Amino acid sequence: MNKEILVRLEKLNQLRLTEEQEAETLAFFAEREADMAIVDAVDTQEVERMVHVMPLENVLREDRAIEPFEREALQAGAPAAEDGYWQVPRTVD
Amino acid sequence: MRYETVIGLEVHVELATDSKIFCSCANRSGDEQNSHVCPACCGMPGMLPVTNKRAVDLGMTAGMMLNCHINRTTTFDKKSYYYPDLPGSYQTTQWFSPVAVNGTVRIETENGPKDIRVKQIHMEEDAGKLVHDTLSNTTLVDFNRTSVPLIEIVSQPDLSSADEVVAYLERLRSLLRFAKVSECRMELGTMRCDVNLSIRPEGSDKLGVRTEMKNMNSISAIRRAIAYEVDRHIDAIENGTEELVQETRRWDDEKGMSFAMRNKETAGDYRYFPDPNVMPIVIDDEWYGRIQGTLPPFPEVKKQQLIDQGLTEYDADLLTQSRVLCDCYDAAFAASGLAKECANWIATNCLSILKKNGQTMDDLEIDGDRLGQLVKLVGDGVVSNANAKKILEVMFEEDVDPKAYAEANDMIVSNDTDAVMDVIRGIVAANEKDANDFRGGNEKAINPLFGKCMKELKGNCAPQQLREMLIACIMEG
């Protein structure tokens, strides 16, 4: 992580960090990179690759549509809704 | 300098399931906004997705139809990006182990057949739809399409012209429709295409700067967009009109121009990681074999089989445009043994009713076996053509046995020639002028008499037989 990557991530995520926040974030990632370096140093050549963290597979359901959830209940917590739509600040494609 | 065009396609295809990929909301377009939504597909915290097995079946089917290797362990990953049509701020997709890899699609080009390599097919969820409201200057969000199952078919950059792109898309469409993976209707957005394009000096093996045009949904627009982009790239290289950068562009078909949307993200920007909420899928031999057993022959193989049965190339071509039509024909032919007649009934009468109902050929739901019985009743002279058409209309509404329906509704052709002749005599007697005109050489004068007889007989008479008996009766008089 460096300043250039951070600025790019800010842009992609539509975030605007203050200089202080940027410094904190860079410091945070520097610590995490140091942690990862410890993990990276472990010899895992003989360890089988883990596909998934949970010991489960094929958790599947049949293709059957059910009654939809009540729209008004879903939108009850929305900051803004109009005519059945969620309403958000204007977004340009 | 001469240039060659290098094109790779990412084709998104909506899977023909009844429900969404990770929840049980209906996969149905055209309904009222946010009428097929739940906490899971709206990205509410704490919700757990559960994978739709049918979506995996269709992903595997697509892979097999495109000659891919099917990964026996396939997993889902989170692709993080922020946009209002993506309520969870990530898309569940397949990055590390997609369902199918390393396939080929053979297309016909002016230089002969060409194999286009398919890098991978991965399953993923669709995003919602945004409506920009100019009155309130806000954006309205409809999540009905969110989490609708998609496959993305990623080709290698093996295509080198708009003609090849069109041939590839049409081939994909034909194969996937025939395997009932998807309707693949570009006009409805169930098949969409991102075009990755660059140019390079002819003979060079180094790829140029690549731009991506997103969400193309018509063949003609794709042709125009490719022509425009090739000219733009050449202009930039030769005349320095602009600096080419790797970016995502939007094609405006009305203006006939492409516009930069955003710098192209790289894989790292998406921070892919295994989705801990979606469990891996392990495809065992039984599952693999079951899907393999459901694969149809390739459309061109089936078409030749139909031609061998006696159908015209036109009819065979029409039937193989849709597996639904083809299955209906197969069942009808098996029940009747009348190849041409069954094809005609489907191509004319069935499609005509579908069109009248505002439906497509994939909406044909009548029982092919019963259609075959109906065609045979007509062929055997048991039911007249006119009455058979009425019965067919009923068969579109309800599941009826055509013979039982004909018997119950007085639609069986009469074998009682005496009774038919009685009707004819009565009509001729009541319409002496038409009869005299016919006798006088006006051949058309028989038509109203014929119509009146048929009406009186409720259509239950073989037309040729009725005509012969009518002529005999008139000339006797």
Side-chain angles (χ1 to χ4, degrees):
Chain A
M1 174 62 79
N2 56 36
K3 180 74 182 284
E4 189 185 346
I5 294 173
L6 184 59
V7 168
R8 181 171 170 76
L9 287 176
E10 283 181 49
K11 189 178 171 191
L12 285 173
N13 289 281
Q14 303 191 23
L15 294 172
R16 193 174 294 122
L17 301 183
T18 62
E19 282 194 17
E20 191 181 343
Q21 287 171 324
E22 284 185 347
E24 281 175 14
T25 307
L26 287 171
F28 172 83
F29 275 104
E31 286 176 24
R32 298 293 81 73
E33 282 177 3
D35 293 341
M36 294 308 295
I38 297 169
V39 176
D40 278 347
V42 177
D43 181 3
T44 57
Q45 280 213 324
E46 301 298 318
V47 180
E48 192 181 344
R49 176 175 167 257
M50 178 187 271
V51 174
H52 205 270
V53 291
M54 300 289 285
L56 293 169
E57 60 190 32
N58 292 354
V59 179
L60 301 163
R61 63 178 179 80
E62 294 303 316
D63 179 29
R64 197 164 46 241
I66 61 168
E67 284 296 306
F69 207 81
E70 193 183 341
R71 180 173 64 190
E72 285 67 28
L74 272 176
Q75 293 183 336
E82 182 184 293
D83 193 24
Y85 291 99
W86 271 266
Q87 193 173 26
V88 299
R90 183 170 169 74
T91 307
V92 180
D93 274 332
Chain B
M1 184 181 288
R2 291 175 64 86
Y3 294 92
E4 61 186 25
T5 309
V6 179
I7 301 171
L9 293 186
E10 294 165 19
V11 180
H12 287 93
V13 171
E14 256 183 32
L15 299 177
T17 58
D18 290 334
S19 61
K20 294 185 178 182
I21 186 168
F22 295 122
C23 66
S24 297
C25 291
N27 171 13
R28 198 163 63 229
S29 62
D31 289 352
E32 191 181 347
Q33 57 272 18
N34 294 309
S35 55
H36 303 302
V37 288
C38 73
C41 58
C42 285
M44 300 285 181
M47 296 311 300
L48 283 176
V50 183
T51 308
N52 181 340
K53 189 164 186 280
R54 175 77 181 143
V56 183
D57 287 348
L58 294 177
M60 291 165 65
T61 304
M64 290 177 185
M65 290 300 284
L66 272 49
N67 305 303
C68 291
H69 167 76
I70 304 297
N71 277 327
R72 293 304 191 95
T73 298
T74 182
T75 54
F76 284 92
D77 309 290
K78 286 190 175 185
K79 177 184 183 182
S80 302
Y81 67 94
Y82 174 77
Y83 212 63
D85 60 8
L86 197 66
S89 286
Y90 65 85
Q91 179 189 33
T92 302
T93 181
Q94 297 195 294
W95 177 256
F96 295 107
S97 186
V99 67
V101 294
N102 298 335
T104 52
V105 173
R106 177 159 290 189
I107 60 169
E108 295 300 323
T109 74
E110 58 185 11
N111 300 318
K114 178 176 178 180
D115 285 337
I116 307 303
R117 292 171 300 157
V118 172
K119 181 185 172 197
Q120 68 179 54
I121 299 174
H122 56 264
M123 295 180 284
E124 61 188 18
E125 57 179 345
D126 208 345
K129 277 187 180 169
L130 301 180
V131 181
H132 300 297
D133 184 9
T134 47
L135 273 180
S136 62
N137 199 32
T138 60
T139 294
L140 304 174
V141 190
D142 177 6
F143 288 136
N144 277 352
R145 201 179 63 183
T146 305
S147 217
V148 160
L150 298 175
I151 49 171
E152 180 174 339
I153 303 161
V154 184
S155 84
Q156 297 286 6
D158 292 347
L159 298 151
S160 54
S161 70
D163 284 344
E164 289 187 9
V165 167
V166 172
Y168 173 77
L169 288 172
E170 286 180 345
R171 181 67 177 153
L172 280 188
R173 182 175 175 276
S174 167
L175 290 172
L176 298 180
R177 278 174 59 89
F178 209 60
K180 294 183 179 174
V181 169
S182 169
E183 284 192 346
C184 294
R185 294 179 66 185
M186 293 191 96
E187 74 278 15
L188 295 182
T190 56
M191 185 177 189
R192 317 188 282 272
C193 170
D194 301 342
V195 179
N196 292 293
L197 181 148
S198 64
I199 62 166
R200 63 185 173 193
E202 204 169 70
S204 167
D205 58 0
K206 192 179 167 193
L207 292 170
V209 175
R210 171 169 59 93
T211 55
E212 179 183 18
M213 280 178 292
K214 298 288 279 184
N215 288 331
M216 308 289 299
N217 60 1
S218 101
I219 293 284
S220 56
I222 289 169
R223 278 189 186 280
R224 286 189 286 272
I226 289 172
Y228 175 88
E229 274 298 285
V230 169
D231 286 348
R232 189 176 72 84
H233 281 229
I234 292 174
D235 214 22
I237 290 169
E238 294 199 335
N239 304 320
T241 48
E242 61 182 302
E243 184 191 357
L244 287 177
V245 292
Q246 183 177 326
E247 63 185 357
T248 302
R249 296 181 71 85
R250 176 176 62 84
W251 172 250
D252 186 323
D253 206 37
E254 277 186 20
K255 292 191 174 79
M257 298 172 74
S258 69
F259 297 92
M261 284 171 71
R262 59 177 187 262
N263 285 344
K264 178 78 180 136
E265 291 94 337
T266 60
D269 295 329
Y270 288 126
R271 289 154 286 148
Y272 287 100
F273 67 95
D275 190 328
N277 293 328
V278 186
M279 299 307 127
I281 293 163
V282 178
I283 299 162
D284 61 16
D285 289 346
E286 187 275 329
W287 190 355
Y288 185 92
R290 182 171 60 78
I291 298 301
Q292 205 171 34
T294 63
L295 294 182
F298 277 11
E300 63 272 21
V301 174
K302 183 67 190 175
K303 182 179 164 185
Q304 189 55 51
Q305 287 173 2
L306 297 180
I307 290 171
D308 293 343
Q309 282 175 8
L311 299 195
T312 62
E313 176 142 1
Y314 175 83
D315 282 342
D317 205 38
L318 178 78
L319 291 176
T320 49
Q321 281 179 36
S322 159
R323 177 89 175 280
V324 176
L325 285 194
C326 220
D327 286 350
C328 183
Y329 165 81
D330 282 342
F333 175 62
S336 66
L338 300 168
K340 286 180 187 171
E341 290 82 353
C342 288
N344 283 342
W345 272 80
I346 292 172
T348 53
N349 301 325
C350 291
L351 290 188
S352 163
I353 294 171
L354 287 172
K355 190 177 177 187
K356 192 174 74 182
N357 294 343
Q359 295 174 300
T360 70
M361 50 179 73
D362 285 337
D363 295 320
L364 183 66
E365 285 182 347
I366 60 165
D367 184 326
D369 180 69
R370 292 202 155 163
L371 176 66
Q373 292 169 24
L374 180 66
V375 172
K376 191 156 187 339
L377 289 173
V378 177
D380 291 346
V382 177
V383 172
S384 70
N385 202 51
N387 277 337
K389 283 181 185 173
K390 290 177 190 165
I391 295 171
L392 183 68
E393 299 247 6
V394 176
M395 287 166 66
F396 268 72
E397 301 296 324
E398 52 190 298
D399 187 24
V400 295
D401 178 300
K403 189 170 184 193
Y405 186 87
E407 286 169 344
N409 291 276
D410 196 16
M411 288 177 160
I412 299 291
V413 167
S414 173
N415 289 321
D416 184 349
T417 51
D418 289 344
V420 171
M421 189 50 93
D422 284 347
V423 170
I424 292 172
R425 286 200 185 100
I427 297 290
V428 170
N431 297 274
E432 198 53 39
K433 182 178 181 306
D434 288 332
N436 282 332
D437 286 350
F438 183 76
R439 289 186 199 104
N442 180 0
E443 289 187 1
K444 286 184 180 172
I446 199 174
N447 292 341
L449 296 171
F450 180 86
K452 284 170 184 164
C453 289
M454 195 56 101
K455 187 177 177 188
E456 182 73 20
L457 292 162
K458 296 180 182 170
N460 295 326
C461 188
Q464 187 57 33
Q465 184 191 8
L466 176 62
R467 185 170 290 276
E468 287 168 5
M469 290 174 73
L470 178 58
I471 291 171
C473 178
I474 294 170
M475 299 318 281
E476 275 172 13

